[in-house]
Amino acid sequence: MGVIKDRFKAKADIVAAEVKEILKEHGKKKIGEVTLSQVYQGMRGITGLVTETSLLDAQEGIRFRGYTIPELQQKLPKAAGGTEPLPEGLFYLMLVGDLPTEENVHHLTSVWQRRSHVPNYVFDTIEALPVSAHPMTQFVVAIMALQIESQFSKKYAAGLSKKDYWNVVFDDSMDLISRLPRIAAYIYRRKYKNGDHIQPNGLLDWSGNFAHMMGYEGEEFKELMRLYMTIHADHEGGNVSAHATHLVGSALSDPYLSFAAGMNGLAGPLHGLANQEVIKWIFEMREELKTDLPSKEQIGEYVKKTLAEGKVVPGYGHAVLRKTDPRFTAQAEFAKKHCPDDPIVQTVWNVYEVAPPILEGTGKIKNPWPNVDAHSGSLLKHYGLIEEDFYTVLFGVSRALGVLASLCWDRA
Ligand code: AMX
């Protein structure tokens, strides 16, 4: 751990000095005007915060430290025999600011393996909830139980110098990221597999081990998890989960408290729960139309019906993006390679052809194009992870990488 922590601190010290200099020189510079409607619409379009880890362009989509998703797929280290990036590499990039070597990534994998022990009382806390509780509720409760482990809160209570905040926030963030797959897999096996739990495999990477603990051993599914964990990790600072983690962290709430706040936001249907909503919407459509593969005409009618009922078409629209989400495209490419004939995948592609002009025709929806959630469920269903109310937990495990890397930057 020492190496990555030292490298992070060295980078953060340079940036802190630069920021100090910029503020001294240009601190009074005006960067925009604010209209009344922006204030009433939740600070829409106001540049109000800095996020170091990623940048979201309305036309182009997300860049992580300057790299697009296809670039990351090319440049980040992969698992042996794999073609998708290891999310350990993305975390290193977001944290340190440089592309990692294979060695850096293997180092992170083994650090996270070493720190992944989850105390029994966390499992007991999960067990105290009815099994019917939504997986996101179980996830947040487990994170809150794990907060007892926070080094930051213990050291702060004992008297911690401001200069050392970053150091303990860093340790807490690493511990939390290491433990999340075990917690999420426990919830999955508890809720859907009669509590038949699977022990971690210390030889696997973070996502591969997560897939294994959920009960999915296929190499293709593990590759999907590596891609999934990479593309859901971060989306600049304005989205609800990132903003909530940042905001709560600003009160010096420790990383467990801050991340739990972010996860409560991710659990909302207009944010991370949309991946569950998309699949629910597709299955309700299939049931109503009594077909596994609705025609484009039928889909068009169903989109119009959804709008007429005053509901949103899940998986479409975005507060910032104004084009097809590159995270949607990355998943479509994965599906083209591995499962182009799957009827749910084909339905997702047909919705993509039919829905945007109808949404655009309403004249009020600013972005008629699909976001990340429009595609993810179809791939999970294809590999047998059929329980859609679990999908947001997968999103949450991934989102920890970006928001906790950002929290380390905030404190440093
Ligand atoms: N279906 C129907 N109506 C939609 C819509 C959609 N997919 N997207 C936007 N609209 C509506 C809004 O509800 C709003 O209606 P109103 O004026 O009657 O209140 C109007 O169009 C203008 O909204 P907007 O400025 O285009 O979007 P926004 O920034 O207010 O909201 C978002 C963005 C994502 C919440 C919205 O597009 C939406 O509800 N989409 C469906 C849910 C979804 O896919 N969420 C996931 C987003 C990605 C993520 O965070 N994981």
Side-chain angles (χ1 to χ4, degrees):
M1 174 52 55
V3 192
I4 296 177
K5 196 191 246 185
D6 291 349
R7 223 166 269 169
F8 164 70
K9 182 62 168 115
K11 270 287 164 74
D13 283 348
I14 295 169
V15 174
E18 279 172 5
V19 171
K20 220 173 178 177
E21 202 50 39
I22 289 170
L23 292 182
K24 207 168 108 195
E25 286 262 307
H26 306 286
K28 295 221 160 61
K29 186 177 161 60
K30 293 199 174 89
I31 56 164
E33 287 185 346
V34 176
T35 63
L36 189 60
S37 59
Q38 284 181 300
V39 174
Y40 267 97
Q41 288 169 357
M43 305 193 289
R44 181 77 43 100
I46 302 173
T47 301
L49 288 169
V50 171
T51 302
E52 296 284 347
T53 49
S54 63
L55 188 68
L56 179 57
D57 181 89
Q59 301 301 323
E60 193 195 48
I62 191 71
R63 275 181 186 262
F64 302 88
R65 294 279 187 189
Y67 296 101
T68 62
I69 288 171
E71 284 166 353
L72 291 181
Q73 285 174 301
Q74 209 197 344
K75 290 179 195 294
L76 287 180
K78 327 264 185 297
T83 55
E84 299 300 340
L86 285 165
E88 286 91 327
L90 175 67
F91 180 75
Y92 182 97
L93 175 67
M94 290 189 292
L95 190 72
V96 177
D98 299 327
L99 282 171
T101 62
E102 298 262 349
E103 199 194 336
N104 298 146
V105 165
H106 291 147
H107 177 64
L108 254 184
T109 299
S110 67
V111 167
W112 287 353
Q113 278 282 6
R114 270 206 310 281
R115 298 170 83 132
S116 63
H117 174 73
V118 176
N120 275 340
Y121 66 79
V122 174
F123 299 128
D124 293 344
T125 308
I126 297 171
E127 291 295 341
L129 294 170
V131 82
S132 61
H134 191 280
M136 280 304 279
T137 306
Q138 301 194 38
F139 190 52
V140 173
V141 166
I143 296 162
M144 288 306 303
L146 201 54
Q147 188 272 342
I148 294 163
E149 300 293 301
S150 171
Q151 290 301 317
F152 183 87
S153 70
K154 287 191 188 85
K155 292 201 169 151
Y156 188 88
L160 184 67
S161 161
K162 264 187 184 177
K163 286 201 188 78
D164 296 325
Y165 289 170
W166 74 272
N167 198 337
V168 210
V169 164
F170 187 100
D171 287 341
D172 271 1
S173 298
M174 285 292 174
D175 284 342
L176 182 48
I177 290 170
S178 310
R179 291 160 172 175
L180 287 174
R182 179 92 169 97
I183 290 173
Y186 187 93
I187 294 165
Y188 181 73
R189 302 291 302 181
R190 172 181 191 239
K191 191 165 169 73
Y192 311 109
K193 306 289 171 186
N194 296 318
D196 179 12
H197 296 292
I198 299 172
Q199 289 304 307
N201 176 347
L203 299 174
L204 289 169
D205 56 285
W206 189 69
S207 321
N209 191 30
F210 185 21
H212 157 75
M213 289 186 287
M214 284 191 290
Y216 296 87
E217 295 300 352
E219 210 32 57
E220 246 175 63
F221 184 81
K222 289 190 177 127
E223 280 289 275
L224 174 64
M225 273 302 100
R226 290 169 191 132
L227 176 66
Y228 189 105
M229 292 293 135
T230 299
I231 62 177
H232 287 79
D234 208 32
H235 218 225
E236 218 195 285
N239 66 81
V240 177
S241 51
H243 185 63
T245 306
H246 175 87
L247 178 69
V248 173
S250 75
L252 290 188
S253 305
D254 63 58
Y256 296 85
L257 296 168
S258 308
F259 180 62
M263 290 302 96
N264 281 312
L266 195 75
L270 296 191
H271 190 20
L273 203 78
N275 54 13
Q276 164 184 329
E277 297 291 296
V278 166
I279 284 297
K280 234 177 87 200
W281 183 82
I282 288 179
F283 273 73
E284 280 166 7
M285 170 168 67
R286 284 160 53 126
E287 200 171 315
E288 191 170 312
L289 300 171
K290 311 240 171 309
T291 168
D292 287 351
L293 196 57
S295 68
K296 288 179 194 166
E297 264 176 14
Q298 286 175 311
I299 293 171
E301 290 309 313
Y302 200 77
V303 169
K304 286 179 195 156
K305 178 171 170 280
T306 303
L307 293 174
E309 286 168 354
K311 298 177 187 160
V312 296
V313 176
Y316 281 75
H318 202 272
V320 179
L321 271 173
R322 294 295 175 256
K323 284 272 164 67
T324 296
D325 190 335
R327 302 173 298 174
F328 176 92
T329 311
Q331 295 179 93
E333 292 300 322
F334 188 96
K336 270 183 212 154
K337 191 164 146 194
H338 297 290
C339 50
D341 299 326
D342 185 292
I344 308 173
V345 165
Q346 291 196 346
T347 301
V348 164
W349 293 348
N350 287 336
V351 176
Y352 182 32
E353 278 190 40
V354 170
I358 300 172
L359 296 177
E360 198 156 32
T362 65
K364 68 169 184 179
I365 298 171
K366 294 193 195 66
N367 176 35
W369 301 106
N371 57 56
V372 66
D373 298 310
H375 212 308
S376 53
S378 64
L379 284 164
L380 296 166
K381 284 264 180 197
H382 175 78
Y383 289 103
L385 207 165
I386 55 171
E387 300 87 356
E388 66 260 16
D389 52 356
F390 189 74
Y391 293 172
T392 310
V393 176
L394 297 175
F395 194 156
V397 173
S398 167
R399 186 47 59 104
L401 302 177
V403 300
L404 293 175
S406 275
L407 202 62
C408 291
W409 272 94
D410 294 341
R411 289 299 80 77

